[in-house]
Amino acid sequence: MPSAPTSKAAPGSPRTPLLTVIAALVGFEALLLLAGAAYLVHGLVVEGSRAPAAVLSVVVLAVGFAAAIAFCARGLLGRAAWARSPLVVWQVLQVAAGLPAFSGGSPLLGLILVLPAVAVGVGLFLPSVSAQVGR
């Protein structure tokens, strides 16, 4: 009697291009975080700050989140099911951070934050991606 097909792709099967694109977008999000941290450090060094400890704390958090997001992108490339949950949470947070930019006078920043987050958030639930990283 043949066994029922499983939803997860076989370990030796090639990764779908969509999964690779989603992982690349997540890598882009990690680079955005690093760019934001570098911008803060530049501002701290060039312009100074009344609260350098606060700026450095945000920089450390941004670098830590960038590392975590990059780790999840690597997990997606390896088809790890655990990588989806933190990435979904991150996409929601990124959209929440990007939406105020539209009304705050920086629509380009809003687009840079919101568009990849929506693309990744939707992409993580597409059937072809779920088949690759599902349990």
Side-chain angles (χ1 to χ4, degrees):
M1 180 167 141
S3 63
T6 60
S7 64
K8 186 167 180 168
S13 67
R15 186 173 45 247
T16 62
L18 183 58
L19 181 60
T20 305
V21 168
I22 290 170
L25 283 173
V26 172
F28 174 69
E29 292 173 345
L31 289 176
L32 285 176
L33 278 168
L34 290 177
Y39 177 77
L40 288 173
V41 169
H42 175 267
L44 181 63
V45 171
V46 172
E47 298 172 10
S49 173
R50 291 187 201 175
V55 173
L56 289 176
S57 298
V58 172
V59 167
V60 168
L61 280 173
V63 171
F65 277 119
I69 297 303
F71 185 69
C72 288
R74 186 169 182 256
L76 276 183
L77 289 175
R79 299 181 186 159
W82 58 262
R84 286 176 28 162
S85 296
L87 287 176
V88 168
V89 171
W90 180 254
Q91 303 319 306
V92 171
L93 292 173
Q94 190 165 315
V95 167
L99 286 178
F102 291 108
S103 63
S106 183
L108 179 61
L109 178 62
L111 286 174
I112 291 171
L113 291 173
V114 171
L115 286 181
V118 169
V120 170
V122 169
L124 287 172
F125 291 102
L126 292 176
S128 63
V129 173
S130 292
Q132 291 277 306
V133 296
R135 293 183 189 250

